[in-house]
Amino acid sequence: MFISGITNGSGSYENTSMNESASGCSGNMRHLVVEACISRNLLDTSAYLWPGFVNGGTNQVPQGIAGNVSCWSLVMKGSSLTPSLTNSLITTPASSLAEIEKIYEVATTGSEDEKIAAASILCGASLFRGWSIQEHVIIFIVTLLSPQAPANISGSYSHLINCAPFLNVLLVGISPVDCVQIFSLHGVVPLLAGALMPICEAFGSGIPNITWTLPTGEVISSHAVFSTAFILLLRLWRFDHPPLDYVLGDVPPVGPQSSPEYLLLVRNCRLECFGKSPKDRMARRRFSKVVDISVDPIFMDSFPRLKQWYRQHQECMASILSELKTGSPVHHIVDSLLSMMFKKTNKGGSQSLTPSSGSSSLSTSGVDDSSDQLKIPAWDILEAAPFVLDAALTACAHGSLSPRELATGLKTLADFLPATLGTMVSYFSSEVTRGLWKPVSMNGTDWPSPAANLASVEQQIELILAATGVDVPRLPADGISAATLPLPLAALVSLTITYKLEKATERFLVLVGPALDALAAACPWPCMPIVTSLWTQKVKRWSDFLIFSASRTVFHHNSDAVIQLLRSCFTCTLSLTPTSQLCSYGGVGALLGHGFGSLYSGGILTAAPGILYIKVHRSIRDVMFLTEEILSLLMFSVKSIATTEKLKKTKDGLRYGVGQVSLSQAMTRVKLAASLGASLVWISGGLNLVQALIKETLPSWFISVHGEEDGLGGMVPMLRGYALAYFAILSSAFAWGVDSSSPASKRRPRVLWLHLEFVVSALEGKISLGCDWATWQAYVTGFVSLMVQCTPAWVLEVDVEVIKRLSKSLRQWNEQDLALALLCAGGLGTMGTATELIVETCHQL
């Protein structure tokens, strides 16, 4: 049986009302955290007596939950799932695992209507707001998405087809925008992907000649089930990211990509390792014993149509389309789809649509647009979709098709098979990247115009950045005359604004929205403000979010803005300019604020510098320069700290004398600055950036010549040395960990040896230093002291000879205690040298 090992034990966070008071929100969160701990056997129930949530020592039931308790108690007593009871259970989260197990039992053994009702209940409040049982609900849903095949089934017919209505309810129920995030937080994305792939393969391979009527009256076909499952599978690639070092930087990643193979690889590895750790065995006791998930590995070869589509998807992303052979089955499907999309255009005569590759001319004249011709498997439609899009885009570029007809045709295709939205996203993104299409003018005649609020959007973007401490020059844009977009991007945004914002289309738009945002951000300025302007005209209530998203694009195009934002992070955290409203209090609260929308500037929603940097760091094109910039800002901050501490008044109202800096207060702020710098390096570039810092940036800084400090004596150089020591140790700890439990720790010995070899060589006079001697001395003693006290496992990984040479140099600085501590931490190889040092010290005494 497999229950645990696929979850990471993390919880989730409930969305609370924006109008809810802070005290009420914190109180509810406290209850939810305690309840989640009790459900995981981390806290005894006797410590918590909130009736209605756990079995406390009282029978009193609060008025607010009396009705909620009764609806679930009816289920436990065996009441049938009537429509009214089902609706109550959908909106009310379960309070115990036993209640969810009861619904799971109905979903597996009940009648067809009862199964559908049970599926709706599982995808309701128990999934989104069931704090103590959410991880159980997720496992139940994934299990139900993989029903076992009956013993009497034979042939190529998939047993999943018979479960279409039931599977459709589950798929639609887990498709809302926040739901995939919940699965990701619990670490179940690879397992969910393994359940979705058989559904996509089965429903995408059959002809849609069967329909099913749901209890709501909605009629669905295999295309509908396939589209929901397929788009959900595509969305999983965005939430199950590989490690940061695989996705950051200018060079395309060479490691494992987020793909079907990658998701299956992670799934199979987790299943194979399940139960081998004490954590797995302990977690297993928390979960239901009624679920039995297959631990057999799954490979892409089991899904030939999905594998074929993915290969075509990669080819489409990498190069222009290959030649389409006239008379081939794909050619006939392309003709049928074009006829369906541009049926009204064809009534006036022959309409010739030519692919941009020039491989063939696809004429839609004379094609019979009968429903029988379009009753083909979904995978066949997806195979033809790139050629359809290429032909339509080429016709629009040549004037054979108007922009309005293009948008209408794309919408027709997306309505016919919503899964083609995935192909549209990949095709249009690839074509924009290739840059082969001329830009089109968003003038309001041919294409929708952003003129109504483009200037206002750009002004609000500048205000948001100014409120965060970023004052960048206005990016090149010439008013409305510059309102142009690349043709594929214009087609994609025109398609999206034709959708009605309703629940039925949300699960499809949630795929296109992030892709459109990323694509517009990568295009020249002001593409992103134009797209934002068009969408804010359509949905005014989204204006704050869209404008804030557009403001992040500035950092993609302007490296000076990135540096200014980093400077703001240091300034507000360390409160270096107390007169500024941005950093009057300092600390982590000033750095991160209270999330997006917590700050207002001139009526504009803004964000704290730290929150803004977390949002934009992935869009920075060159992250390697950030180590030098962060190091420079750290050194400048240390000088500012020393200056401000020197001028502070004592409690008696007297100022410190010249050079009499409050060392303890200065060191506290220096540690804060170093931890901030290390955090920024880690989130900006991950393991690779930290290794570049230790191997290249720090040695280069010590070798370089730096200017002398004016009037501050040796205090600033010493503080800078300690700041660099904390900075290096914290950055390394983020990347490698303090022990050997993480895979990244395998890279630690080599990098650490290179850095300590540099340190020892400089101490022995083999390398000339350009920095202040007080800085160097403070760095070496600080780095070694922190390594011995906080990361002793690192010392054991360093070459013994390097440790001996380093301890010898420390003794020459009269740092006998530190040298001895280093030798003691070095293990058996340095015990002899440590003994000699002890004997030598005793003789000197």
Side-chain angles (χ1 to χ4, degrees), residues 14-172:
E14 180 177 9
N15 294 326
T16 55
S17 172
M18 293 295 292
N19 298 324
E20 190 172 10
S21 65
S23 60
C25 182
S26 61
N28 290 339
M29 184 60 68
R30 174 171 56 85
H31 291 308
L32 295 172
V33 169
V34 173
E35 182 190 359
C37 291
I38 290 175
S39 68
R40 291 161 175 78
N41 296 326
L42 300 176
L43 188 65
D44 188 77
T45 56
S46 62
Y48 193 63
L49 302 178
W50 190 15
F53 282 78
V54 294
N55 293 325
T58 177
N59 294 323
Q60 181 182 359
V61 179
Q63 288 183 337
I65 62 172
N68 299 349
V69 173
S70 62
C71 71
W72 280 101
S73 62
L74 290 175
V75 173
M76 299 304 293
K77 293 177 181 178
S79 299
S80 59
L81 295 179
T82 62
S84 59
L85 179 59
T86 299
N87 292 333
S88 299
L89 296 174
I90 290 174
T91 58
T92 306
S95 59
S96 68
L97 174 58
E99 294 171 347
I100 291 299
E101 287 179 336
K102 186 68 174 180
I103 296 298
Y104 176 75
E105 179 184 354
V106 175
T108 53
T109 62
S111 64
E112 292 300 319
D113 291 342
E114 289 177 333
K115 288 181 178 181
I116 291 177
S120 302
I121 294 169
L122 288 174
C123 296
S126 295
L127 173 61
F128 291 92
R129 296 186 287 113
W131 297 93
S132 62
I133 43 85
Q134 186 180 69
E135 55 189 339
H136 304 291
V137 175
I138 288 174
I139 300 300
F140 284 140
I141 291 175
V142 173
T143 306
L144 292 173
L145 284 172
S146 304
Q148 295 183 356
N152 57 353
I153 194 169
S154 61
S156 60
Y157 182 80
S158 174
H159 69 285
L160 296 174
I161 302 298
N162 296 332
C163 306
F166 176 70
L167 293 175
N168 183 76
V169 172
L170 288 173
L171 293 171
V172 173

Side-chain angles (χ1 to χ4, degrees), residues 264-277:
L264 290 181
L265 176 64
V266 175
R267 174 197 179 274
N268 296 339
C269 289
R270 291 185 181 179
L271 291 176
E272 183 182 3
C273 300
F274 167 67
K276 296 182 179 180
S277 67

